[in-house]
Amino acid sequence: MKLRLIALDLDGTLLTDEKELTRENAAALSEAAERGALIVPATGRFFSGMPAAIRDLPFIRYGININGGKVSDEKCGKTLYSAYIPYDTCEKIYDYLETLPVLFDCYQYDCGWIDRRFYDQLEDYVRRAPVRGVITSTRRITEDFRALMHERHDSAQKIQILCRECDEPLRQELLSTLPVRFAPLNVSTSLYCNIEINAPLATKGRGLRALCEALSIPLEETAAFGDGLNDFDLLETAGIGVAMENAHPRIKDSADEIAGNNNENGVAMKIAEWIRRGIL
């Protein structure tokens, strides 16, 4: 059996904590592609919100983005799969979040939208500069994004919530209660300070399945790397699910294999191992 597709989470997996793609990881992806494997980012970000270092790799054609809410063929400009949150449901979520000491924003039309009142407070909620940089570089600031959403009266691709580090008990409580309050929406987390809400059929695993169906690739001939709770079903769906050494304990417990730390070229080392094993 040869691997025909490798799906990779970005933050905490392929990228370092400084949100950088190392030369070693880039070279390993290139070698895997030369050996015939499709390299597919599988991330909570929208495609254009990924680092240029990823987007500009010549072998990156497909994306599993927005936690599986959108699967695309970027070469053809074609959406292969999508699952978004209906407008009326978004309004109910926003109404509830307004009662909490949190920041929130949303993805719509492959772009992040955030109110200036929230944007101006980001440093208080997201203390780690690399993480804050991801948010500031991928958001459009509005005076009232809810009014904009109302005017468009369209679905949202994802809703993100940000909590202060000192409010970690609240974040954990919301991770438990939001899936019940707004069932059957998917609630997950990919950063130390965030919560992500997606449509019921928007998961990275479903995105991988949809892409493989479109390309006629058996799931058994795929592998996936991840570290966060939003990677759980991605690793469960792939033929080989690989958790990073720095992954959430639940992810490591369910994985088929473990790769090294994201800051120590764990992806590159695992790809080199697969080449030695003859599955790449």
Side-chain angles (χ1 to χ4, degrees):
M1 188 273 290
K2 292 280 190 178
L3 290 175
R4 295 176 59 189
L5 186 153
I6 301 174
L8 303 108
D9 171 57
L10 300 185
D11 300 294
T13 299
L14 180 60
L15 303 178
T16 68
D17 289 347
E18 297 300 314
K19 309 303 178 186
E20 296 175 345
L21 176 66
T22 66
R23 286 179 295 178
E24 292 83 355
N25 277 349
L29 295 183
S30 180
E31 182 166 4
E34 289 174 3
R35 289 172 175 268
L38 290 175
I39 306 300
V40 182
T43 175
R45 308 192 199 195
F46 47 91
F47 194 90
S48 62
M50 299 190 307
I54 302 292
R55 299 195 315 270
D56 293 345
L57 292 170
F59 44 82
I60 298 295
R61 172 173 178 173
Y62 301 99
I64 300 170
N65 293 96
I66 316 174
N67 289 332
K70 181 176 181 180
V71 179
S72 61
D73 178 344
E74 291 297 315
K75 181 177 180 179
C76 297
K78 183 179 180 181
T79 298
L80 304 176
Y81 177 81
S82 64
Y84 302 154
I85 307 171
Y87 170 79
D88 290 343
T89 302
C90 292
E91 284 295 291
K92 293 175 183 176
I93 296 171
Y94 299 148
D95 286 342
Y96 176 62
L97 296 180
E98 291 282 11
T99 70
L100 303 174
V102 300
L103 308 186
F104 58 93
D105 59 24
C106 80
Y107 286 4
Q108 188 182 59
Y109 306 149
D110 295 335
C111 185
W113 304 88
I114 188 170
D115 280 3
R116 182 171 297 281
R117 62 184 171 122
F118 291 152
Y119 187 89
D120 290 344
Q121 298 179 67
L122 274 177
E123 191 167 354
D124 292 334
Y125 283 76
V126 187
R127 305 297 294 178
R128 302 179 193 179
V131 176
R132 193 166 63 251
V134 171
I135 297 172
T136 58
S137 66
T138 57
R139 298 302 190 272
R140 293 187 184 180
I141 304 171
T142 70
E143 295 306 316
D144 185 349
F145 85 77
R146 291 191 65 178
L148 189 62
M149 301 300 112
H150 179 73
E151 179 181 336
R152 294 169 173 169
H153 209 83
D154 202 355
S155 56
Q157 294 169 308
K158 185 178 80 170
I159 294 172
Q160 177 176 243
I161 305 166
L162 296 169
C163 298
R164 294 185 179 93
E165 287 190 66
C166 62
D167 286 336
E168 179 60 15
L170 171 63
R171 191 174 78 96
Q172 292 300 323
E173 178 185 351
L174 291 174
L175 283 169
S176 298
T177 59
L178 285 172
V180 178
R181 179 182 287 269
F182 296 108
L185 294 177
N186 281 313
V187 178
S188 62
T189 178
S190 62
L191 300 170
Y192 73 97
C193 58
N194 87 335
I195 296 171
E196 301 177 30
I197 302 176
N198 283 90
L201 299 181
T203 70
K204 292 184 181 182
R206 287 182 181 273
L208 175 61
R209 188 178 298 275
L211 180 58
C212 286
E213 288 176 357
L215 301 177
S216 298
I217 295 176
L219 287 169
E220 294 77 12
E221 297 177 8
T222 70
F225 289 82
D227 74 298
L229 291 177
N230 64 338
D231 299 316
F232 182 80
D233 82 318
L234 174 67
L235 272 57
E236 289 280 292
T237 302
I240 301 176
V242 184
M244 307 304 291
E245 182 58 42
N246 52 284
H248 188 282
R250 182 185 173 199
I251 303 302
K252 293 174 75 173
D253 288 344
S254 66
D256 300 306
E257 301 182 13
I258 304 295
N261 190 283
N262 70 303
N263 291 314
E264 298 171 355
N265 300 308
V267 168
M269 290 188 292
K270 178 58 69 173
I271 288 176
E273 176 191 324
W274 287 341
I275 292 172
R276 291 194 299 271
R277 284 162 52 185
I279 62 175
L280 253 184

